[in-house]
């Protein structure tokens, strides 16, 4: 199983991270006595990087296939959850796993002044946001509605960072009013931030998002730090922006520099390369009289979507790579994890509708689809798939494409997967679905967005988002002429 970024042992929480009581008290669906296994990772991620050696780690993972053939989440059979909740695809999370992932970052950051800004775009479930906020997380925002949701969830605005290459004036006004950090991404972005500061009557704390032209070696769609990206300012324009900030002392206070390389990054040396460039820029900026206190190094740690046991960088590997650079400049570090906090905490749980063969292709057709989980269709992304219960002894193992009912040939959750031939109604999960899955779900083919549940620390299951209904859809047309 994946997620090598977890703690090597279940964490002993510091007092300020004592596991909080939920803000709601849903009726438990079922309970269990935790019996999680520990798995050992042994393979090195990269043999071609002499700078960083990652050691094999032992970690506790929330989704485990037991010897009895059943898939468990925090010791509870996923089959039991599926049999209990409403009959439709649903997302199932582990609340303790979310906590463990965040604590891994908090422990890695000990000794540094820092802000962990959870990237809300990865998963915008309000209950999950509230949980992360209670544990001390800040938030990274890329739209006005994400800012409004962060405020609704109770995040401290001074621990929130507003990113984006096309921020709207009305949203920037709200950010200025609330005291949120704002990244300057372009010339017109700077003009809009100045206007927002004047409308709000408040000076805005800004960071310059510098495009460092560092190749993160990831899919082109999730690379954000190369010179042809739509994000950030090029270093040759740095002086123009410094002069522009100087020209608006009543509206702008430059407090930091920011870069973001991309997502699914599996080599921490890439972060160090960027940090070296960034602290040199900070030296240049400070030399012109600016009091720069923050380095925002972005986020982007990948996870083991393939479940091959690869040893991937941990939060500590990432932080240790940039620690001395941050300390040498007496900087506060901002880190923006999204995927690595939430992806491995969740599965999309589906039912098998049937099995068919066309030509040389075998298909498992499920009730879930690209509407609920689009990453494989959009990016060609791989997410591990398995059945949640033991197969009959005579089940034939074949190679299948796992597809949904949406009327698109692009509607697949996985291709060329070796699986036992399932029976109709069997449960099937798509792993590591916590990030960029539900937040990108749609109602295409009028497949309504699914409900979400999580397993609490005490083993109970609670609904944390209602599934959308047909009635929700038609309500948008009420009262129209």
């Amino acid at each position: 199983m994946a997620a090598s970024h977890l703690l090597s042992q279940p964490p002993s929480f510091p007092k300020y991270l004592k596991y909080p009581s939920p803000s709601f008290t849903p009726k438990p669906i079922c309970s269990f006595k935790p019996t999680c296994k520990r798995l050992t990772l042994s393979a090195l991620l990269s043999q071609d990087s002499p700078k960083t050696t990652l050691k094999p780690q032992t970690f506790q993972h929330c989704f485990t296939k037991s010897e009895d053939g059943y898939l468990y989440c925090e010791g509870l059979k996923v089959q039991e959850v599926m049999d209990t909740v409403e009959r439709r695809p649903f997302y199932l999370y582990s609340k303790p796993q979310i906590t463990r992932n965040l604590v891994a970052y908090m422990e890695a950051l000990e000794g540094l002044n820092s802000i962990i800004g959870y990237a809300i775009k990865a998963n915008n479930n309000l209950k999950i946001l509230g949980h992360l906020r209670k544990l001390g997380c800040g938030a990274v925002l890329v739209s006005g509605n994400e800012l409004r949701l962060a405020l609704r969830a109770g995040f401290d605005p001074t621990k929130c960072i507003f990113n984006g290459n096309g921020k709207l004036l009305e949203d920037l006004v709200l950010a200025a009013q609330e005291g949120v950090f704002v990244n300057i991404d372009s010339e017109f972005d700077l003009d809009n931030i100045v206007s927002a500061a004047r409308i709000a009557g408040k000076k805005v704390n800004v960071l310059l998002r510098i495009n460092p032209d560092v190749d993160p070696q990831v899919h082109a769609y999730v690379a954000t730090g190369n010179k042809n990206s739509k994000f950030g300012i090029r270093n040759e324009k740095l002086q123009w922006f410094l002069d522009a900030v100087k020209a608006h002392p009543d509206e702008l206070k430059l407090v930091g520099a920011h870069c973001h390389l991309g997502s699914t990054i599996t080599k921490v040396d890439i972060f160090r390369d960027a940090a070296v460039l960034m602290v040199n820029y900070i030296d240049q900026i400070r030399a012109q009289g600016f009091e720069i206190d923050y380095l925002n190094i972005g986020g982007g740690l990948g996870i083991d979507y393939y479940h091959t046991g690869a040893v991937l960088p941990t939060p500590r590997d990432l932080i240790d790579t940039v620690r001395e650079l941050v300390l040498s400049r007496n900087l506060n570090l901002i880190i923006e994890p999204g995927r690595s906090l939430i992806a491995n905490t969740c599965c999309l749980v589906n039912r098998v509708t049937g099995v068919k063969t066309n030509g040389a292709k075998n298909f498992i057709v499920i009730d879930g689809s690209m509407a609920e989980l689009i990453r494989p269709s959009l990016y060609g992304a791989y997410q591990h798939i398995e059945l949640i219960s033991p197969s009959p002894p005579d089940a034939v193992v074949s190679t299948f494409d796992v597809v949904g009912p949406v009327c698109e040939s692009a509607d697949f959750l996985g291709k060329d997967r070796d699986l036992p031939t399932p029976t109709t109604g069997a449960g099937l999960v798509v792993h590591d679905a916590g990030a960029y899955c539900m937040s990108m779900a749609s109602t295409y083919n009028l497949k309504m967005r699914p409900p979400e549940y999580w397993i609490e620390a005490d083993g109970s299951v609670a609904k944390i988002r209602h599934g959308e209904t047909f009635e929700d859809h038609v309500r948008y047309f009420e009262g129209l002429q």
Side-chain angles (χ1 to χ4, degrees):
M1 287 270 176
S4 57
H5 55 270
L6 305 182
L7 295 175
S8 59
Q9 299 291 338
S12 56
F13 298 105
K15 291 181 180 179
Y16 60 89
L17 281 176
K18 188 175 181 181
Y19 206 87
S21 299
S23 57
F24 60 102
T25 55
K27 183 179 179 180
I29 295 175
C30 42
S31 61
F32 75 105
K33 184 177 180 180
T35 57
C36 294
K37 287 187 173 182
R38 289 194 177 96
L39 307 178
T40 302
L41 300 179
S42 57
L44 286 180
L45 165 71
S46 173
Q47 303 297 334
D48 60 0
S49 176
K51 299 179 186 177
T52 302
T53 300
L54 303 177
K55 297 180 180 180
Q57 301 178 46
T58 300
F59 64 85
Q60 187 180 31
H61 192 274
C62 59
F63 286 97
T64 307
K65 200 66 170 288
S66 180
E67 293 178 0
D68 63 7
Y70 285 94
L71 182 70
Y72 289 78
C73 180
E74 299 290 350
L76 178 63
K77 283 183 181 178
V78 176
Q79 180 71 54
E80 292 181 6
V81 181
M82 190 179 79
D83 291 342
T84 305
V85 302
E86 56 194 291
R87 190 177 178 86
R88 58 188 293 188
F90 64 93
Y91 283 96
L92 179 64
Y93 299 81
S94 162
K95 187 178 182 180
Q97 185 74 52
I98 297 171
T99 303
R100 289 193 290 264
N101 289 352
L102 179 60
V103 170
Y105 272 99
M106 300 187 84
E107 292 193 345
L109 286 161
E110 287 179 1
L112 295 175
N113 294 321
S114 63
I115 295 174
I116 301 174
Y118 168 67
I120 289 181
K121 63 178 180 154
N123 187 308
N124 54 32
N125 183 289
L126 186 58
K127 296 299 183 183
I128 291 173
L129 298 183
H131 179 58
L132 291 171
R133 187 264 305 165
K134 288 177 184 177
L135 293 175
C137 221
V140 174
L141 325 159
V142 292
S143 73
N145 280 340
E146 286 190 355
L147 171 54
R148 294 175 185 90
L149 191 65
L151 296 174
R152 179 75 62 90
F155 281 97
D156 180 352
T158 64
K159 295 173 66 176
C160 293
I161 305 96
F162 194 7
N163 290 339
N165 68 302
K167 299 183 285 290
L168 300 179
L169 178 60
E170 57 265 33
D171 299 330
L172 287 167
V173 171
L174 177 60
Q177 291 170 340
E178 297 292 338
V180 170
F181 290 109
V182 179
N183 276 320
I184 299 175
D185 190 88
S186 65
E187 292 90 342
F188 69 79
D189 197 37
L190 186 146
D191 289 342
N192 282 334
I193 297 168
V194 170
S195 296
R198 290 171 178 168
I199 294 169
K202 290 189 175 181
K203 185 181 292 189
V204 180
N205 289 325
V206 295
L207 295 85
L208 286 175
R209 179 166 181 171
I210 299 173
N211 184 323
D213 195 17
V214 172
D215 180 9
Q217 302 175 37
V218 297
H219 192 289
Y221 286 6
V222 293
T224 58
N226 54 53
K227 67 180 180 181
N228 293 318
S229 170
K230 72 175 184 178
F231 299 103
I233 64 174
R234 294 291 297 130
N235 56 354
E236 60 264 22
K237 294 184 178 180
L238 178 59
Q239 189 59 54
W240 184 94
F241 282 92
L242 295 178
D243 291 340
V245 171
K246 290 176 185 176
H248 297 93
D250 296 329
E251 293 86 10
L252 306 176
K253 180 180 181 182
L254 182 59
V255 298
H258 171 242
C259 72
H260 194 289
L261 305 179
S263 192
T264 68
I265 296 171
T266 56
K267 296 180 180 179
V268 292
D269 295 325
I270 293 170
F271 288 100
R272 178 172 178 82
D273 292 343
V276 169
L277 293 173
M278 294 301 295
V279 296
N280 286 334
Y281 290 136
I282 287 173
D283 289 344
Q284 297 174 36
I285 297 169
R286 282 176 167 173
Q288 297 192 34
F290 292 99
E291 296 180 5
I292 299 296
D293 296 320
Y294 293 91
L295 169 60
N296 185 338
I297 199 63
L301 274 185
I303 68 167
D304 184 9
Y305 279 111
Y306 284 86
H307 287 210
T308 58
V311 176
L312 300 182
T314 67
R316 189 171 296 279
D317 294 325
L318 168 57
I319 302 307
D320 285 351
T321 299
V322 302
R323 178 182 297 274
E324 292 307 317
L325 287 169
V326 172
L327 290 173
S328 70
R329 303 312 198 275
N330 193 29
L331 291 164
N332 301 295
L333 181 65
I334 300 175
I335 187 77
E336 301 182 354
R339 182 188 314 274
S340 57
L341 277 182
I342 198 70
N344 72 347
T345 70
C346 176
C347 282
L348 176 66
V349 185
N350 313 268
R351 281 181 172 81
V352 173
T353 303
V355 176
K356 65 182 292 186
T357 299
N358 274 346
K361 276 286 186 181
N362 301 314
F363 299 93
I364 296 174
V365 184
I366 59 175
D367 55 357
S369 71
M370 65 184 291
E372 291 85 7
L373 195 156
I374 199 173
R375 289 187 71 253
S377 298
L378 181 63
Y379 302 123
Y382 181 99
Q383 292 182 233
H384 188 61
I385 292 174
E386 65 181 329
L387 300 171
I388 67 174
S389 299
S391 301
D394 59 348
V396 177
V397 175
S398 297
T399 301
F400 294 95
D401 285 4
V402 180
V403 301
V406 163
C407 192
E408 293 282 347
S409 295
D411 178 27
F412 64 91
L413 282 303
K415 291 190 172 184
D416 298 323
R417 305 302 177 89
D418 292 334
L419 293 165
T421 303
T423 57
T424 296
L428 178 148
V429 297
V430 181
H431 279 279
D432 304 311
Y436 304 103
C437 292
M438 183 60 179
S439 65
M440 299 175 76
S442 74
T443 58
Y444 187 45
N445 284 199
L446 280 186
K447 282 181 62 53
M448 312 314 296
R449 278 180 281 256
E452 295 178 289
Y453 300 84
W454 67 16
I455 296 176
E456 301 263 12
D458 63 1
S460 62
V461 177
K463 180 181 282 189
I464 58 173
R465 176 175 173 144
H466 295 295
E468 294 181 6
T469 67
F470 177 74
E471 288 70 27
D472 292 328
H473 178 73
V474 298
R475 200 170 293 129
Y476 292 118
F477 307 95
E478 292 177 356
L480 301 178
Q481 297 298 322

